[in-house]
Each structure stands twice: as C-alpha cells, then as structure tokens.
Amino acid sequence: MVSLQNISIKLGSFTLDQVSMEIPASKYCVLMGSSGSGKTTIIEAICGLRKIRSGKIIINEIDVTGLRPSDRYLGYVPQEGVLFSTMTIREQIAFGPLVRGWNKRDALERTEELASSLEIEHLLDRKPAGLSGGEAQRVSLARALASKPNLVCLDEPLSALDEDNREMACSLIKKLHHQEGFTVLHITHSASEASLMGDLVFRLSDGVLNPA
Amino acid sequence: MNNKKAPSDIPFYAAMWAAGGMYFVLIISLLYADASYTSVASIGEALQDKSIRASIWLTMQTCWITAVLSIIVAVPTGYILTRFKFPLKRFFDSIIDIPIVLPPLVIGLSLLILFNQVILFDKTIEQLCASFLNSLRSMLPNSPIFDLPTGITYKVPAIILAQFTVSCAFAIRTMRNTFESLDPRQENVALTLGCNRSKAFWKVVLPQASFGIMTAGILAWARALGEFGPILVFAGATRGKTEVLATTVFLEISIGNLEGAVAVSFLMVSAALIVLVMVRLLGSKKRVW
C-alpha cells in the first residue's frame, strides 16, 4: 500500500498543502489534474526527488519520507521517457537490476522477458536516438520495471503518443500490471485515459486531492 | 483592398553576409600576411634551432598538463554550478569568469604578488611551496620528483599556473554549458533505479558529457598555447628555461629575427587551427555550442 499523509510541498510560489491519498497494494491508481496543478510534483515527492515540508510518505508500511530515491525501491517513468542516450536499450533495461546487485545473467534474462512482453526485442541492441515516442515510452517502462519494484510511478506516459500507439501502450501496461501485480500511480490530464486505466481515480484541483 | 507583397529578403542576407564576411576576410588576411612573410625553408630553419625545439617541447608539456588540470577542476565545478543551488551562487559564478575578462598582464602580476607577498604561517606561498618540494625531495631522493625545480616563480611550474589560471575558466564555462544541455531527469531516473549520487554521475552523466569534456580539454589546451602575458610576468622569458612558443615569438622579435618570429607564429597558427577545427567537429556532434 502507498499512503501520503498530509504532505505539504512548496515550489517557488506554488504550494501543495496537506495532501493525503491512499493506494491499496496492486491497484492501478490514476491521478488527474490540469497542467500546473502539481501532479508531477506529487510523483517526484513519492520518488524522493522533491523535498516535502511536512507529512509522511509510506510505501509498503515503511516510512520512506527521509529516504533517498534509491532506497525506496520503486520504478519511475518520467514524461517523454528520458532514456540514457549513451546506452543501448538492453543496457538501460538491465541497468537497474545490475546497480541493485543482480547477477548479469538474471539481469539479462529479465531484460529479455520485459522486452518480449513490451514488444521491443528488435530494439535491444539499438541506442535510443531515432526511437518513436511509443518505443521510447515502452523502453522507459521496461527500465522502470526491470528490478521488480512494488510501486511504479508513470508521469503522463501516454501524452506524446498518437491514437494507435496509445491504445497499444494502454493494453501493454495493463497486461504487465496484471502479470506482475505491482501498484501503479499514473498521472494524466485525460479523463478517458483515467477511466480506461484506473481502478481508482483521484483528481488534483487547486492543491486539493479528491476521489474523482 | 490590395494585400502588399513582402519586400525582398536580399538586403537582409546581404547585410548579414557583409558584416560576417568582413571579419572573416580580416582573419584570412592576417594568416595570408604571415604565410607570405615566411617560407617552408624558414619554418624548417626554425625547427632546427635548438632553443626553439626546446620551446616547442616545453609548450607541449605545459599545455597538456594545463589541459588535464583544467578538466579535473572544470568537470566538478561546472557540475556544481549547473545542478546545485547554494547561497551566493551568482557571485561564485561571476568570480570564475574574472580570468576571462582580466587583462593577461594583471593575472601574471596577481600571481606574482600572491606567491611572493602574501604571508601564510610566517612564510610566503613561494617559500611554502619550496619547503614542500624540498621535503618531498628528501623523502623520495631517487624519484622523478627529484628533477622538479626548487620553487614556482620564474620556473616551469609558474608557466603551468599562469596557463591554468586562464584556461580553467574557459574549461569551466564549457563544462557548464555541457551539463546545462543534459536533462537532469536522467540523473533522477538513475537515482530511482538504485544509484547513489556518485554512481549516477559516473554511469549516466559523465558518459553523456564526454564530448563536452573533450571540447573543454581542447579549448584549455588551445588557450594555454596562446597564453603570453601572465607567463611573461610570472614565469619570465628565460631562453631555454621558461621559454614557450608564445615567448619565443617575443624573444625572436626582441633580437630582430622577424623571419624566425613569423615562422614560429606560423607553427602556432597551424596548431591552433587544427585544435579549433577539432573543437567545432566535436561541438557539432553533441551541440555543446
């Protein structure tokens, strides 16, 4: 389970005050809100990339509020994928497991398995330059899932995709979610995406988080 | 009502090309003037001269040491200035640019005063450095350090320090531009994948900054090659001892050997041209510029 307990964040003149939210384990949660409403800020706070002024963040009954991002054991897919340009797709998917101390054979097996599930096997020996938006997003998702995190944070993963790619990406994410049982926090500003993907949907508006 | 046709673009292009072209022509004219004043025989003669050959060797040594030192300092400094917020950041950023805007002679003079007038623990910095080198020498009597000079001022280390003071500022500026062009979210992703700050830097940031690092090194090398003012004041221009190519040109002019001075200048122009073309090629690959 993921629990945000009264977290407050100040970012220049922008403030999020006393935001609380609970996501049961293995559920697919969608967080909606207009541009600039603070959705990305919340996801960054959960990942440990943004300091919070007060409150607590609990992941799987562990208070991770003061922990470094590496100690939170979660997966993060930022907007536009943000791939490592000097690594091949294989290297970047295996990067997380290898950094976390997996042996090379297990890391490469996991890479092949995810590449097969996400239909990116043909890209494994390429570098990211020249990948389409959909391919980059699938690689980014594979990279985030490679170490088998309990929570995956997806920051507008479908926003840069055309209609066909979006449908395919939605079904692939859903398939993996069912297969692996991780908890998802998915950010979007699209109501149709939220209703299609979410087991539960929250809306962030004027710094206040409400169930949609 | 008649819609007006947009005026011709030719005057705009002509003005742009004329302004840019004039400066290009000036530089080419300078190179042509040098080339027309010298000959292959003069350059060959200059290369035969023992003191000029020593000067070329010392220039290469000091420029490479300066380039390496500049990268060692510029990479972390550029990274800190790009990625971290801290009090007085703009002040520190401006301080780093001082060697770029100061007249070269002033840098040499400042180094001379710093090493010979500023007192620390009842000694000048020059005396402290000399004591340090002496103690190293007594601890390691048979090492290559034994050949090091006994001090800094008017010796080879002064050449390196004078070159480094200016070159490093250019290298830092280049590294700053490089790190600014890299998406900080890549480090964020690396942190969530299990890296600590250091691992994210070595595994993700540095490989992507490699072209920038090479560019910074080459620029520092080129800047060191052209340095003259600070070297003249801080290291002197003693033939065969603290003579680098820039001081060779000065010394050849001072003894009336204009042909020799132009021949050495031509060697420097060739080296600079090669280096600058390399920088542009690297820059265009990674859009550092």
Side-chain angles (χ1 to χ4, degrees), chain B residues 100-222:
Chain B
I100 295 175
V101 294
L102 266 187
L105 283 173
V106 175
I107 292 171
L109 187 64
S110 306
L111 281 167
L112 198 62
I113 295 168
L114 173 69
F115 273 77
N116 294 283
Q117 295 298 319
V118 174
I119 306 291
L120 279 177
F121 310 114
D122 292 332
K123 284 184 174 175
T124 63
I125 295 176
E126 176 72 30
Q127 286 166 335
L128 287 172
C129 289
S131 310
F132 176 70
L133 288 170
N134 279 334
S135 54
L136 266 184
R137 199 169 286 114
S138 60
M139 278 159 50
L140 307 160
N142 296 318
S143 80
I145 293 169
F146 190 72
D147 292 334
L148 273 178
T150 50
I152 306 288
T153 310
Y154 299 126
K155 298 192 169 64
V156 172
I159 300 174
I160 296 166
L161 258 170
Q163 290 173 337
F164 171 79
T165 307
V166 180
S167 299
C168 193
F170 286 90
I172 289 172
R173 208 42 53 210
T174 308
M175 285 320 302
R176 205 192 148 148
N177 290 343
T178 301
F179 289 127
E180 269 172 359
S181 72
L182 300 179
D183 189 342
R185 291 182 303 168
Q186 300 207 356
E187 284 159 83
N188 288 345
V189 170
L191 295 177
T192 62
L193 290 174
C195 291
N196 60 10
R197 275 272 166 207
S198 163
K199 200 169 241 177
F201 179 76
W202 287 101
K203 296 258 185 189
V204 174
V205 180
L206 223 48
Q208 294 188 60
S210 57
F211 285 108
I213 294 170
M214 271 192 273
T215 309
I218 291 169
L219 260 183
W221 190 94

Side-chain angles (χ1 to χ4, degrees), chain B residues 11 45 75 88 96 167 180 201 206 221 241 286-287 289:
Chain B
E45 207 174 294
V75 170
L88 301 173
I96 284 164
S167 299
E180 269 172 359
F201 179 76
L206 223 48
W221 190 94
K241 285 193 174 171
K286 210 60 188 169
R287 284 191 229 134
W289 300 96

Side-chain angles (χ1 to χ4, degrees), chain B:
Chain B
M1 221 185 293
N2 286 334
N3 286 327
K4 249 174 101 177
K5 193 182 167 191
S8 166
D9 290 330
I10 292 170
F12 172 77
Y13 288 128
M16 290 287 173
W17 279 98
M22 269 196 307
Y23 191 63
F24 181 78
V25 168
L26 173 67
I27 303 291
I28 292 294
S29 307
L30 290 175
L31 297 180
Y32 173 75
D34 281 351
S36 64
Y37 201 82
T38 188
S39 62
V40 177
S42 305
I43 294 172
E45 207 174 294
L47 286 171
Q48 292 300 316
D49 187 308
K50 212 174 163 186
S51 62
I52 291 177
R53 271 170 36 193
S55 158
I56 292 172
W57 178 232
L58 185 59
T59 305
M60 293 301 129
Q61 284 179 307
T62 54
C63 286
W64 280 111
I65 294 170
T66 297
V68 171
L69 289 177
S70 297
I71 287 174
I72 291 170
V73 173
V75 170
T77 311
Y79 185 72
I80 288 168
L81 288 173
T82 314
R83 289 289 188 266
F84 300 117
K85 287 179 184 168
F86 52 89
L88 301 173
K89 182 176 168 178
R90 283 190 182 176
F91 171 73
F92 286 114
D93 202 9
S94 309
I95 292 284
I96 284 164
D97 279 341
I98 284 180
I100 295 175
V101 294
L102 266 187
L105 283 173
V106 175
I107 292 171
L109 187 64
S110 306
L111 281 167
L112 198 62
I113 295 168
L114 173 69
F115 273 77
N116 294 283
Q117 295 298 319
V118 174
I119 306 291
L120 279 177
F121 310 114
D122 292 332
K123 284 184 174 175
T124 63
I125 295 176
E126 176 72 30
Q127 286 166 335
L128 287 172
C129 289
S131 310
F132 176 70
L133 288 170
N134 279 334
S135 54
L136 266 184
R137 199 169 286 114
S138 60
M139 278 159 50
L140 307 160
N142 296 318
S143 80
I145 293 169
F146 190 72
D147 292 334
L148 273 178
T150 50
I152 306 288
T153 310
Y154 299 126
K155 298 192 169 64
V156 172
I159 300 174
I160 296 166
L161 258 170
Q163 290 173 337
F164 171 79
T165 307
V166 180
S167 299
C168 193
F170 286 90
I172 289 172
R173 208 42 53 210
T174 308
M175 285 320 302
R176 205 192 148 148
N177 290 343
T178 301
F179 289 127
E180 269 172 359
S181 72
L182 300 179
D183 189 342
R185 291 182 303 168
Q186 300 207 356
E187 284 159 83
N188 288 345
V189 170
L191 295 177
T192 62
L193 290 174
C195 291
N196 60 10
R197 275 272 166 207
S198 163
K199 200 169 241 177
F201 179 76
W202 287 101
K203 296 258 185 189
V204 174
V205 180
L206 223 48
Q208 294 188 60
S210 57
F211 285 108
I213 294 170
M214 271 192 273
T215 309
I218 291 169
L219 260 183
W221 190 94
R223 190 61 239 177
L225 177 78
E227 215 50 70
F228 171 65
I231 295 175
L232 186 70
V233 177
F234 189 42
T238 312
R239 190 127 249 186
K241 285 193 174 171
T242 57
E243 182 187 359
V244 286
L245 281 173
T247 39
T248 302
V249 176
F250 170 73
L251 290 171
E252 293 298 326
I253 291 172
S254 67
I255 58 170
N257 180 11
L258 207 54
E259 289 82 2
V262 174
V264 175
S265 305
F266 206 73
L267 287 174
M268 292 181 73
V269 168
S270 308
L273 202 61
I274 291 167
V275 165
L276 291 174
V277 168
M278 279 167 68
V279 169
R280 289 293 179 274
L281 288 175
L282 287 173
S284 65
K285 267 193 180 173
K286 210 60 188 169
R287 284 191 229 134
V288 170
W289 300 96

Side-chain angles (χ1 to χ4, degrees), chain A residues 70 79-80 83 85 99-100, chain B residues 185-186 189 191-192 194 208:
Chain A
S70 56
Q79 284 182 45
E80 298 111 35
L83 301 178
S85 61
V99 165
R100 292 212 181 270
Chain B
R185 291 182 303 168
Q186 300 207 356
V189 170
L191 295 177
T192 62
Q208 294 188 60

